[in-house]
Amino acid sequence: MGKKTRPDPKTPPPKVKVMKAPLRDLQTLGQQHMTLVRQGAFPSLTLSYPDPDAYIRQMYQLGARTLIYQEGGGALYEIDLLTGRIVPVAGKDLSGFSVIKRVIRDERWNPLKDRAASRLKTSPQDLALILVVPQEVETRWVGHQVAVFQNVGIPLDRVQSVDALFTGGRLRVVSLHLLDGSVTAVQDPGCG
């Protein structure tokens, strides 16, 4: 049997250009794959962004909410990262939002986390800062990722993880990490 070779880390992989798909098609494609997402069988998504403030502002424009969760079964609060407003929130208030919770680890928000910890009489280490997006947005993003996989000719079951960039209110897939250890760079016009 032949020896498997990995790409030379000094040579960047060739970029594959992705065609733009209509939002309605992405929504349909995403709905067809949401069961895999809920089961944890969909490739993980690492989302990067150049500016934390712009990222949060753009996410809020998409309808996202930021939450403070007290680990160990504590209370749940909504926190507006741009104004610092903190209010209690019930789980039922989050109906219509994605089941995927994105943990925000930017040091930029530590002062707000410290303030919330003081108000909630707990340690900042016991609090998690979480971003949730509307289910419609999550579904569209899942559909966009599937469209990218199809466009570059890589079956979903060969993709381990996806690196994406969020700028200008758009999710842009940058690279696909495959189960065989290879990486495919992508030129993606993005999806809002």
Side-chain angles (χ1 to χ4, degrees):
M1 199 181 233
K3 186 177 174 186
K4 213 177 209 183
T5 59
R6 293 193 178 222
D8 180 359
K10 296 175 188 166
T11 307
K15 288 193 175 187
V16 179
K17 190 165 181 150
V18 174
M19 303 302 289
K20 193 171 181 180
L23 291 180
R24 183 178 63 241
D25 293 351
L26 296 179
Q27 199 73 24
T28 301
L29 202 52
Q31 287 170 344
Q32 294 168 357
H33 291 84
M34 285 309 292
T35 301
L36 291 175
V37 172
R38 285 185 204 93
Q39 294 170 346
F42 196 81
S44 63
L45 173 67
T46 300
L47 200 54
S48 301
Y49 40 87
D51 176 3
D53 289 279
Y55 168 72
I56 291 299
R57 225 180 340 278
Q58 292 163 11
M59 283 293 191
Y60 285 168
Q61 288 171 350
L62 289 175
R65 294 168 75 179
T66 44
L67 308 170
I68 288 270
Y69 173 71
Q70 193 169 359
E71 306 221 5
L76 184 65
Y77 296 85
E78 181 170 6
I79 181 168
D80 184 320
L81 295 179
L82 301 176
T83 66
R85 179 183 59 90
I86 301 171
V87 295
V89 66
K92 65 180 177 162
D93 295 337
L94 298 174
S95 66
F97 283 84
S98 173
V99 296
I100 296 173
K101 312 295 185 252
R102 291 177 172 81
V103 177
I104 300 172
R105 292 190 176 94
D106 293 303
E107 290 180 12
R108 156 75 178 93
W109 308 115
N110 284 350
L112 280 175
K113 199 172 169 182
D114 292 343
R115 197 175 110 222
S118 173
R119 178 176 166 189
L120 302 175
K121 297 178 179 37
T122 190
S123 165
Q125 291 81 13
D126 292 339
L127 297 178
L129 191 56
I130 299 169
L131 179 101
V132 292
V133 297
Q135 183 60 50
E136 174 184 306
V137 172
E138 191 73 57
T139 303
R140 190 167 56 234
W141 285 358
V142 167
H144 179 67
Q145 291 172 74
V146 172
V148 168
F149 305 157
Q150 291 174 349
N151 206 301
V152 298
I154 298 174
L156 178 125
D157 62 358
R158 288 190 47 219
V159 181
Q160 180 176 355
S161 63
V162 176
D163 289 335
L165 182 63
F166 188 82
T167 57
R170 301 180 71 74
L171 175 79
R172 290 178 173 84
V173 174
V174 175
S175 61
L176 307 176
H177 297 261
L178 306 183
L179 293 172
D180 67 5
S182 64
V183 176
T184 300
V186 178
Q187 288 180 345
D188 176 18
C191 162

